[in-house]
Amino acid sequence: MTEKINLTKLVRASMFAALAVGLGYSLMLVPNVELITVVIFLSGLTLGIRWGILVGAVSEFIFSAMNPLGSGLIFPPLLAAQITSMLFVGLVGGLLRPVFFKKNLSSFRVGTLGLTGFLLTFIFDSLTTLSYPIGSGFDWPQTWAIYLSGIGFTIIHQISNGIIFAVGVPAVVKYLS
């Protein structure tokens, strides 16, 4: 019986990974809007911590390494930051399953989902932004200057993901729970 459950979860995890990569490519020309993060979060929410971590790492590796706009393989510190961030998103999805995997969510929980999306995206943006100057050997003042210069761009990404989490997660979970 355990093998059947694992096979079912493997198939579902594969579907989440394919959906994350496909949606990532479909929106890659739209600045600051992406659905990879929410799909990976939903995989953790639906399948649990271990599968969420796996979906996050595999999805982000495939998306970044095979990206037609520039492969993440060219700069390993960035690729590592991307994969680490997204496996963390899957982990958090799994950890928050008892809180958010419910058919009906209160407005407080919907707001908390928005904040969760904002914070997870902040972590992703911070790690990926810092990966270049740190990986290239910049000193701390230069590193922080680079980080701060990108805040205007990343804040839009964080806000859009907050909205996507608040609207999208309850809509999807209603049908999955």
Side-chain angles (χ1 to χ4, degrees):
M1 188 64 172
T2 304
E3 289 179 32
K4 182 171 177 25
I5 293 170
N6 288 338
L7 181 59
T8 301
K9 284 195 173 187
L10 176 62
V11 169
R12 289 180 181 167
S14 300
M15 291 169 50
F16 274 114
L19 184 61
V21 173
L23 288 173
Y25 289 145
S26 72
L27 291 175
M28 71 182 172
L29 296 178
V30 180
N32 297 315
V33 177
E34 51 89 9
L35 298 174
I36 297 173
T37 307
V38 75
V39 171
I40 292 170
F41 181 82
L42 281 164
S43 75
L45 205 62
T46 305
L47 302 174
I49 294 169
R50 287 183 295 177
W51 289 101
I53 289 170
L54 183 64
V55 169
V58 169
S59 301
E60 190 60 30
F61 177 79
I62 293 169
F63 176 76
S64 183
M66 306 294 280
N67 196 315
L69 296 180
S71 173
L73 296 173
I74 212 78
F75 193 66
L78 174 61
L79 182 62
Q82 291 170 324
I83 292 170
T84 301
S85 298
M86 287 303 171
L87 69 82
F88 182 70
V89 169
L91 168 80
V92 171
L95 289 172
L96 295 178
R97 178 182 171 89
V99 178
F100 296 124
F101 199 70
K102 302 183 182 313
K103 211 175 242 332
N104 295 312
L105 294 173
S106 67
S107 57
F108 174 77
R109 287 196 178 170
V110 170
T112 305
L113 269 169
L115 180 61
T116 301
F118 181 92
L119 291 174
L120 289 171
T121 307
F122 173 79
I123 291 167
F124 174 86
D125 287 341
S126 293
L127 289 177
T128 56
T129 300
L130 291 171
S131 71
Y132 175 74
I134 292 171
S136 299
F138 285 80
D139 63 22
W140 281 111
Q142 293 170 323
T143 298
W144 286 113
I146 290 169
Y147 179 76
L148 294 174
S149 70
I151 293 245
F153 188 76
T154 61
I155 195 75
I156 297 168
H157 181 217
Q158 294 153 21
I159 290 169
S160 73
N161 264 10
I163 294 167
I164 289 167
F165 268 61
V167 172
V169 172
V172 172
V173 168
K174 182 184 347 178
Y175 295 104
L176 295 177
S177 61

